[in-house]
Amino acid sequence: MTHNKTRQQAEMAFDQVQSQFFARDHAVEELDYVAQVREAKTLRLREARLAREERDRDAALAIALAKRAKQRQV
């Protein structure tokens, strides 16, 4: 009976440790997923910002060239 009881206690202790391990592993996976989503969003926003800045520069250049052309005509 003692052997059986000791084994049960050992199995219960192992199950607790294993449950903690799996819970920790799940938490790490979740954090990794959140980090990947954050990085993807940051990249998407950076690309959108750079495209907007390029459009703004092109528009400013076009305005400056139009003003210069207009001044030369006068």
Side-chain angles (χ1 to χ4, degrees), residues 3 7 11 13-14 17 21 23 28 30-31 34 46 49-50 57-58 64 69 74:
H3 175 69
R7 181 169 177 117
E11 286 180 1
F14 178 77
V17 169
F21 173 77
V28 168
E30 207 172 307
L31 290 173
V34 169
R46 181 181 298 127
R49 177 181 52 83
L50 292 174
R57 277 192 305 274
D58 291 346
V74 175

Side-chain angles (χ1 to χ4, degrees), residues 54-66:
E54 185 177 6
R55 281 193 314 268
D56 292 348
R57 277 192 305 274
D58 291 346
L61 179 61
I63 291 170
L65 290 175

Side-chain angles (χ1 to χ4, degrees), residues 4-68:
N4 227 3
K5 187 173 184 179
T6 304
R7 181 169 177 117
Q8 280 181 336
Q9 288 174 342
E11 286 180 1
M12 286 177 18
F14 178 77
D15 286 344
Q16 285 179 341
V17 169
Q18 193 174 25
S19 293
Q20 290 172 352
F21 173 77
F22 286 130
R24 189 177 306 120
D25 190 43
H26 180 70
V28 168
E29 287 176 0
E30 207 172 307
L31 290 173
D32 287 344
Y33 174 75
V34 169
Q36 288 175 351
V37 168
R38 184 184 321 116
E39 289 172 15
K41 182 178 180 182
T42 299
L43 179 62
R44 190 181 76 246
L45 291 173
R46 181 181 298 127
E47 289 173 348
R49 177 181 52 83
L50 292 174
R52 185 182 66 241
E53 288 173 354
E54 185 177 6
R55 281 193 314 268
D56 292 348
R57 277 192 305 274
D58 291 346
L61 179 61
I63 291 170
L65 290 175
K67 283 183 181 179
R68 185 172 290 162

